Amino acid sequence: TKPVDNNEMISQMTGFSTTDGVAKLNESFNNFSASMTSSQALQASSLVGRSVLVDDNVFGMAEGAGANGKIKTDLPASNVVIYVENTAGEIIQTVPVGSIKKGEFAFTWDGKDGNGEVAPTGAYRFRIAGVVEGKAAELQAMTYRKVDSVTLAGAGGNINLNLNGGETMALKDVLEVSG
């Protein structure tokens, strides 16, 4: 019998070494990924009790509280009015804004109905109408929502924020964090 050829033996040894190196690299990457997920969850937990701006016009409100939001428009708008509606679609309060420039416009609803009475605890939505380039238009409403808790979701380590009113939203969908 013929002994193993030197070139063949070196090739096999290189293959073993490469396989071992790839396995160690994969293990290191998995450890790094788990560390990053833990770090992100720790950072997200600092949002509990704070308000985040989300691209959603629906919000939960406790009796006696108010609600904050933003209007976003790509063009100037006139005759802008904020309608606060309950879950049945009934208008609870109408807030005239007037004219706004292109961009974002912050607003606050005091939590009272059209008669000045405190609105009850529940879910509400902002519907914003105005005139853009001479035509009636619905404008984008964003709301500030309080973060009640944080959840790690799934094997991918996605972080979800549990917001007041019972809604869950991915951390990546938060537009702004407020005190």
Side-chain angles (χ1 to χ4, degrees):
T1 62
K2 186 175 176 182
V4 175
D5 181 33
N6 283 341
N7 289 336
E8 191 177 315
M9 187 171 98
I10 290 172
S11 174
Q12 286 179 356
M13 288 174 63
T14 303
F16 293 144
S17 177
T18 301
T19 301
D20 185 52
V22 168
K24 287 181 181 177
L25 179 64
N26 191 29
E27 181 181 344
S28 294
F29 182 76
N30 286 339
N31 290 339
F32 174 73
S33 176
S35 173
M36 288 299 295
T37 299
S38 294
S39 177
Q40 288 175 334
L42 182 61
Q43 287 177 340
S45 69
S46 70
L47 296 175
V48 173
R50 297 183 73 187
S51 292
V52 294
L53 182 66
V54 296
D55 188 8
D56 189 5
N57 66 341
V58 177
F59 59 96
M61 187 187 75
E63 187 171 333
N68 298 315
K70 283 189 176 181
I71 300 169
K72 184 175 181 181
T73 178
D74 294 331
L75 297 166
S78 61
N79 300 326
V80 176
V81 177
I82 301 169
Y83 297 98
V84 182
E85 299 177 343
N86 62 17
T87 55
E90 300 167 328
I91 297 173
I92 300 301
Q93 176 67 283
T94 302
V95 182
V97 175
S99 295
I100 60 173
K101 296 179 181 180
K102 169 185 164 181
E104 294 181 355
F105 175 84
F107 64 88
T108 299
W109 173 48
D110 64 5
K112 296 181 179 174
D113 65 18
N115 298 321
E117 301 292 324
V118 174
T121 297
Y124 295 89
R125 81 176 189 138
F126 291 124
R127 187 173 54 84
I128 303 172
V131 177
V132 177
E133 294 185 326
K135 296 181 183 175
E138 290 279 329
L139 302 177
Q140 180 182 358
M142 302 177 288
T143 56
Y144 285 95
R145 306 278 299 276
K146 184 178 168 235
V147 178
D148 289 336
S149 63
V150 176
T151 306
L152 269 176
N158 295 326
I159 297 171
N160 290 329
L161 303 179
N162 302 309
L163 306 175
N164 68 331
E167 186 176 342
T168 298
M169 182 160 290
L171 177 62
K172 67 181 178 62
D173 294 330
V174 169
L175 303 172
E176 179 182 303
V177 177
S178 175

